[in-house]
Amino acid sequence: MRDQLDQRVHDCYWGQGLNCARTVLLALAEEFDFMIDRQLYNAACGMHGAGGFGAQCGAVEGALIFLGAYLGSKNWPEDEISNACYGFAERFTEQFGSLRCSKLRPGGFTEQDDPHLCDRYVAGAIRAALEQLQKTLVEPGGHKGEQPSGF
């Protein structure tokens, strides 16, 4: 799965010119065979650190949007969706040290930066979201629902 996911991220970034939020959103949607609404996809166009401002990482935002949309479609209560989002944010922070682009990108956003500097964060965010969903979907007391392909 690692090579396939890394290739998908590379294709989204370099082949399609997508930002980190859209890449994460699409990769998770594909993994779960979940249709992303056009409005939601359009809304993610500026979610790469708030349009490059250096705010919350777009890979994080894409995963959080997916978690809310997917679990909401399964009629999960909002507090449980919020808990799943918290768990994802905690995993991502443990793995990468921050949720903020300004901390994750060595020099922030500059003209000299490679436009796809965050490939590793994007693949990591997707993996962390998949791990969180796997944990959430099979946890005792949780909603035992359908398993995505790849688990």
Side-chain angles (χ1 to χ4, degrees):
M1 181 174 132
R2 178 174 293 272
D3 291 338
Q4 185 178 4
L5 177 59
D6 290 340
Q7 183 57 47
R8 181 65 177 126
V9 168
H10 181 81
D11 178 57
C12 285
Y13 261 78
W14 295 98
Q16 299 177 48
L18 300 180
N19 70 17
C20 44
R22 282 182 167 174
T23 298
V24 171
L25 192 57
L26 289 179
L28 290 171
E30 288 171 6
E31 185 69 25
F32 283 80
D33 195 27
F34 184 75
M35 178 65 70
I36 297 296
D37 180 88
R38 177 52 100 184
Q39 290 175 316
L40 192 58
Y41 178 78
N42 289 343
C45 77
M47 292 184 181
H48 53 289
F53 185 75
Q56 184 167 273
C57 171
V60 171
E61 291 174 328
L64 294 175
I65 288 171
F66 180 80
L67 287 168
Y70 181 76
L71 295 174
S73 77
K74 304 296 182 195
N75 298 314
W76 278 44
E78 288 185 6
D79 64 326
E80 291 185 36
I81 294 171
S82 184
N83 288 340
C85 289
Y86 185 97
F88 164 77
E90 193 170 51
R91 282 176 188 265
F92 189 91
T93 302
E94 287 170 4
Q95 186 173 355
F96 295 110
S98 180
L99 297 175
R100 295 187 54 84
C101 278
S102 61
K103 300 282 186 201
L104 298 171
R105 291 180 64 104
F109 288 85
T110 67
E111 293 293 321
Q112 296 78 26
D113 282 343
D114 177 337
H116 305 303
L117 188 61
C118 298
D119 282 20
R120 71 186 189 101
Y121 299 123
V122 172
I126 294 166
R127 288 184 185 95
L130 288 170
E131 290 169 10
Q132 184 61 39
L133 279 164
Q134 181 181 29
K135 180 180 185 270
T136 300
L137 293 173
V138 299
E139 201 169 61
H143 297 277
K144 292 184 175 116
E146 57 196 65
Q147 290 290 318
S149 60
F151 284 121

